[in-house]
């Protein structure tokens, strides 16, 4: 089931969503996943490794690839990795991590800050 | 004939391929419709420029990422940029620990603290331990909800709209302001889950439901297939009547689970008056119940009587699984195994299994 998309991907002409580099990371994943399912600790280690080696933009490409290939476990895994990376971090950290710039009017951002003040409490030091 | 069949198979295969190809094309196009401006679009194709790659993900994938975050972190992403501002509200999963939220809102002078939850919410876990004397109320209107877990207090003005899509629900009422119609209020609450397939109630909820006597107001759960009662309650309360009422309203019930429940009453050596009434055979038990699981069995007289009646009534029962948790009266232990096996079984194929659980 998981691999019919992969087969058809190779038959497709227009596959700019999945560059070759990504394909070499995503395709071996099923084996990795079967191994990982058996051992939670190993999954944590793999996650750490992934974060260290893979820049945020690689992760998002992996997410897009997993989504395109309809590979739910990989998609959940990568999304969870991103979520863990930004959990309990300050807004500035997350902005830097994602490479985002604030496009709010100066007053707007302050208003939001006040409205959701409770959600910004107790975050990790940058 | 055979040739025709091959041709149809071939046509079907081509049709499936065509559909899959169209779906892949859709998924491919999704990722390109996310950029806010042509400038960003160009920036994306340059792989050296690793700024702002996250924006290449469609909203559906961003909310998927947010669904793995606790509500607090999810909400705080609203400040990242204008695109991120509404995203946390689109996440289909919500796990609200209300205690944290209400503390912060205590400075506001507003009459009610209402949650406004959007129509896309699919899973909600709400813990609401607000005292009846407080002015905070909730109002839940989430027609797309599929899983609802509520634990806490149900007060007079709390509003729950119909939840026609909830298929799995856990209701653990811990307190209810004790005015006359509180049974009706809990029946109304549970009644909003009228299409539920799997329902779990704690013993207090069952006990409150026991006080509902007006059968016209009690909803019917046409799709309820699995019903579970869980948790111990105060020693004076009898919740069996509520269980029985629910059983009468669940015509298709297949699985009944009773777990760690003192619902039969504390004084386990005295006969339970509710069980003395003839257990009128609710339709579901005799025609649909296939599995009954009793966890926390102690071999006491009331429990034995309950099991006896179930075995007698359930004509299509296949499995009765009994797990012994509590240290039962040691004198009785060897006996109840034997006695249970001797009970009359309406169902020819019924298997009784005993599982010695660990002692709590």
């Amino acid at each position: 089931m998981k691999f019919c998309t992969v087969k058809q991907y190779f038959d497709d002409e227009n596959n700019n969503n999945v560059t070759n580099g990504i394909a070499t990371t995503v395709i071996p994943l099923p084996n990795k996943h079967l191994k990982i399912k058996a051992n939670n600790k190993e999954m944590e280690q793999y996650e750490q490794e992934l974060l260290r080696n893979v820049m945020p933009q690689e992760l998002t490409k992996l997410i897009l690839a997993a989504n395109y290939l309809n590979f739910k476990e990989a998609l959940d895994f990568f999304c969870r990795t991103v979520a863990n990376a930004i959990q309990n971090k300050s807004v500035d950290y997350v902005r830097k991590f994602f490479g985002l710039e604030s496009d709010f009017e100066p007053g707007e951002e302050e208003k939001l800050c006040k409205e959701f003040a409770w959600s910004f409490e107790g975050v990790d030091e940058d | 004939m055979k040739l025709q069949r091959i041709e149809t198979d071939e046509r079907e295969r081509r049709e499936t391929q065509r559909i899959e190809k169209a779906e892949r094309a859709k998924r491919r196009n999704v990722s390109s419709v996310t950029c806010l401006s042509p400038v960003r679009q160009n920036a994306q194709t340059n792989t050296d420029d690793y700024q702002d790659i996250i924006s290449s993900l469609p909203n559906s994938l961003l909310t998927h990422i947010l669904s793995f975050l606790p509500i607090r972190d999810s909400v705080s992403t609203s400040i990242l940029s204008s695109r991120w501002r509404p995203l946390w509200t689109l996440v289909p999963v919500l796990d609200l620990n209300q205690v944290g939220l209400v503390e912060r809102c205590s400075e506001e002078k507003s009459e009610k603290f209402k949650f406004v939850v959007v129509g896309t919410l699919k899973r909600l876990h709400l813990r609401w331990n607000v005292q009846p004397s407080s002015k905070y109320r909730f109002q839940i209107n989430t027609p797309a909800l599929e899983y609802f877990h509520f634990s806490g207090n149900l007060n007079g003005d709390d509003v729950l709209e119909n939840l026609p899509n909830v298929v799995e629900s856990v209701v653990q009422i811990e307190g209810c302001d004790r005015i006359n119609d509180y049974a009706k209020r809990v029946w109304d609450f549970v009644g909003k889950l009228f299409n539920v397939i799997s329902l779990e109630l704690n013993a207090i909820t069952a006990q409150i439901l026991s006080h509902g006597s007006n059968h016209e107001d009690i909803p019917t759960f046409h799709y309820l297939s699995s019903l579970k009662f869980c948790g111990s309650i105060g020693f004076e309360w009898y919740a069996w009547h509520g269980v029985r009422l629910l059983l009468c309203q669940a015509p298709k019930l297949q699985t009944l689970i009773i777990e760690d429940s003192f619902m039969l009453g504390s004084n386990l050596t005295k006969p339970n008056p509710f069980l003395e009434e003839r257990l009128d055979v609710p339709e579901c038990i005799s025609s649909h119940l296939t599995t009954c699981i009793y966890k926390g069995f102690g071999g006491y007289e009331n429990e034995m009587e309950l099991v006896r009646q179930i075995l007698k009534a359930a004509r299509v029962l296949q499995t009765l699984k009994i797990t012994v948790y509590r240290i039962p009266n040691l004198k009785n232990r060897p006996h109840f195994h034997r006695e249970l096996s001797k009970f009359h079984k309406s169902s020819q194929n019924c298997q009784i299994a005993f599982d010695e659980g660990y002692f709590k």
Side-chain angles (χ1 to χ4, degrees), chain B residues 344-357:
Chain B
H344 167 68
K345 297 193 271 280
S346 288
S347 164
Q348 307 282 6
N349 302 322
C350 180
Q351 304 280 342
I352 304 183
F354 292 94
D355 192 15
E356 305 282 332

Side-chain angles (χ1 to χ4, degrees), chain A residues 17 60 76 88 95 103 121, chain B residues 28 53 64 72-73 82:
Chain A
N17 275 288
T60 57
D76 283 351
N88 216 34
R95 277 215 188 106
D103 57 351
E121 290 175 19
Chain B
R28 210 184 301 132
I53 268 297
H64 193 60
R72 219 188 58 158
D73 294 83
S82 58

Side-chain angles (χ1 to χ4, degrees), chain A residues 30-93:
Chain A
N31 290 329
K32 196 84 200 187
H33 265 258
L34 287 173
K35 225 175 32 139
I36 283 173
K37 264 191 214 177
N39 187 349
N40 262 339
K41 200 140 186 240
E42 213 176 292
M43 181 165 82
E44 279 172 32
Q45 285 175 352
Y46 182 63
E47 211 170 286
Q48 294 296 328
E49 215 182 283
L50 201 72
L51 265 186
R52 260 181 281 135
N53 299 337
V54 163
M55 299 291 284
Q57 80 272 19
E58 290 290 311
L59 256 185
T60 57
K61 282 189 189 160
L62 284 171
I63 289 176
L64 278 170
N67 181 52
Y68 176 69
L69 293 172
N70 218 3
F71 191 172
K72 186 174 189 301
E73 283 87 354
L75 180 64
D76 283 351
F77 177 71
F78 295 133
C79 287
R80 210 178 310 124
T81 310
V82 175
N84 288 342
I86 63 171
Q87 185 167 337
N88 216 34
K89 294 284 191 284
S90 73
V91 178
D92 285 328
Y93 181 97

Side-chain angles (χ1 to χ4, degrees), chain B residues 186 201-211 229 238-243 246 263:
Chain B
V186 175
L201 303 176
N202 68 341
I204 295 182
T205 311
Q207 193 271 337
I208 296 174
L209 292 176
S210 300
H211 292 264
F229 292 95
Y238 290 84
W240 173 248
H241 189 60
V243 176
L246 262 169
M263 62 176 197

Side-chain angles (χ1 to χ4, degrees), chain B residues 24-143:
Chain B
R24 281 203 316 284
K26 227 187 347 169
R27 284 203 295 274
R28 210 184 301 132
N29 288 333
V30 158
S31 57
S32 62
V33 181
T34 59
C35 299
L36 297 173
S37 70
V39 174
R40 284 245 182 93
Q41 215 157 15
N42 290 333
Q44 191 184 235
T45 55
N46 181 0
T47 46
D48 289 328
D49 176 18
Y50 58 82
Q51 307 222 339
D52 203 9
I53 268 297
I54 193 81
S55 300
S56 64
L57 293 182
N59 278 0
S60 57
L61 289 180
L62 289 180
T63 53
H64 193 60
I65 293 175
L66 289 182
S67 69
F68 293 103
L69 285 171
I71 181 73
R72 219 188 58 158
D73 294 83
S74 181
V75 169
S76 62
T77 63
S78 60
I79 209 175
L80 288 174
S81 77
S82 58
R83 181 188 173 198
W84 282 81
R85 186 166 166 180
L87 284 183
W88 72 273
T89 65
L90 299 173
V91 176
V93 174
L94 191 58
D95 191 335
L96 279 171
N97 185 336
Q98 154 273 335
V99 175
L101 293 174
V102 171
E103 270 173 30
R104 270 124 186 117
C105 294
S106 56
E107 287 109 43
E108 290 182 27
K109 303 291 177 192
S110 52
E111 282 296 304
K112 284 187 191 168
F113 177 61
K114 266 197 239 176
F115 288 119
V116 180
V117 217
V118 286
T120 54
L121 195 65
K122 291 228 172 107
R123 291 179 66 94
L124 173 61
H125 182 147
L126 177 63
R127 164 157 273 283
W128 188 260
N129 286 105
V130 163
Q131 296 308 314
S133 51
S134 124
K135 58 185 187 233
Y136 297 111
R137 299 290 176 255
F138 65 77
Q139 185 173 331
I140 295 176
N141 188 349
T142 52

Side-chain angles (χ1 to χ4, degrees), chain B residues 270-325:
Chain B
K270 264 205 311 207
N272 181 341
F274 282 109
L275 274 187
E276 268 173 17
E277 304 172 17
R278 224 171 61 86
L279 181 79
D280 56 335
V281 184
E283 177 60 27
C284 70
I285 278 201
S286 63
S287 59
H288 283 92
L289 195 73
T290 58
T291 310
C292 182
I293 300 175
Y294 202 129
K295 286 192 192 166
F297 192 79
Y300 294 103
E301 191 179 320
N302 288 333
E303 295 174 322
M304 297 287 280
E305 177 61 16
L306 175 62
V307 172
R308 190 184 72 78
Q309 293 193 15
I310 290 176
L311 281 174
K312 184 167 151 212
R315 286 200 286 267
V316 295
L317 192 68
Q318 289 170 10
T319 314
L320 171 61
K321 181 156 171 229
I322 294 183
T323 305
V324 179
Y325 271 5

